[in-house]
Amino acid sequence: DGGITQSPKYLFRKEGQNVTLSCEQNLNHDAMYWYRQDPGQGLRLIYYSQIVNDFQKGDIAEGYSVSREKKESFPLTVTSAQKNPTAFYLCASNKRTGNAEAFFGQGTRLTVV
Amino acid sequence: DAKTTQPTSMDCAEGRAANLPCNHSTISGNEYVYWYRQIHSQGPQYIIHGLKNNETNEMASLIITEDRKSSTLILPHATLRDTAVYYCIVRVANAGGTSYGKLTFGQGTILTVHP
């Protein structure tokens, strides 16, 4: 079945360590997105990519990095420069044309201790 | 992208219609209105979208005012499983509506459906 997969579902890391969150889609979507969600809050856009080998900063990109070497994959690295990395992270993808309905993964809950 | 304003929370009785308003008074001619919902700790789910005409699908109806400055999402027969946060988003598209910009979420409306 086609879909978008985030792994792992729960992730624990020590403060000061970089950590990479995985996002893979087999929907042949051009655009991919990373969002952060804090308790009781809406989704905030971290980075997005409209095509392979290109990406743009969202509203809260500081302390994060991404790559888009393949159409199917858009990994997010939470660096030690991110002051408050504990959050729920969501990845999404959509076609750039037509309906452009965005599909979301089930999220990764990152806890930094 | 234009910003949206939604009520923080709403209640609805099971079986009744839920009408969720959204204000997007600064919407541009090339921006579409999208609705998503998020059930606790899951990824958001697409519901419906439209440009200027009213739209209906198996989940909901979308009513957009003639001046496009506001819209209403209608869940015709709300169930307990419709309890979620509902997000109204405006999203830029090119003139032909064939390609789209980024998807930016606001705070949304917490809809609680009670028995």
Side-chain angles (χ1 to χ4, degrees), chain B residues 77-91:
Chain B
H77 305 287
T79 70
L80 299 178
R81 288 176 294 181
D82 292 322
T83 293
V85 180
Y86 287 78
Y87 296 99
C88 170
I89 301 159
V90 290
R91 187 183 196 188

Side-chain angles (χ1 to χ4, degrees), chain A residues 5-25:
Chain A
T5 303
Q6 290 185 243
S7 62
K9 190 170 183 178
Y10 298 96
L11 188 56
F12 295 87
R13 279 293 183 270
K14 291 184 177 179
E15 192 172 348
Q17 289 182 334
N18 291 355
V19 59
T20 297
L21 281 60
S22 169
C23 179
E24 303 278 334
Q25 53 95 3

Side-chain angles (χ1 to χ4, degrees), chain A residues 4-94:
Chain A
I4 181 165
T5 303
Q6 290 185 243
S7 62
K9 190 170 183 178
Y10 298 96
L11 188 56
F12 295 87
R13 279 293 183 270
K14 291 184 177 179
E15 192 172 348
Q17 289 182 334
N18 291 355
V19 59
T20 297
L21 281 60
S22 169
C23 179
E24 303 278 334
Q25 53 95 3
N26 60 2
L27 300 165
N28 198 33
H29 286 172
D30 293 301
M32 297 186 74
Y33 307 80
W34 273 106
Y35 296 89
R36 169 184 173 136
Q37 188 171 36
D38 293 289
Q41 303 296 313
L43 283 71
R44 291 185 291 168
L45 183 63
I46 305 173
Y47 268 98
Y48 65 104
S49 168
Q50 300 279 36
I51 56 173
V52 175
N53 293 321
D54 187 51
F55 49 83
Q56 287 80 41
K57 293 182 179 179
D59 301 316
I60 56 165
E62 186 175 351
Y64 299 97
S65 66
V66 293
S67 63
R68 188 80 187 282
E69 297 176 1
K70 298 187 299 181
K71 191 175 186 179
E72 304 79 21
S73 178
F74 191 41
L76 173 74
T77 297
V78 184
T79 76
S80 57
Q82 168 51 234
K83 300 301 181 189
N84 185 19
T86 295
F88 186 49
Y89 291 88
L90 284 158
C91 179
S93 70
N94 63 247

Side-chain angles (χ1 to χ4, degrees), chain B residues 36-51:
Chain B
Y36 282 78
R37 73 180 183 184
Q38 185 180 25
I39 296 171
H40 183 61
S41 295
Q42 297 182 21
Q45 175 192 24
Y46 166 84
I47 301 173
I48 199 167
H49 77 285
L51 181 62

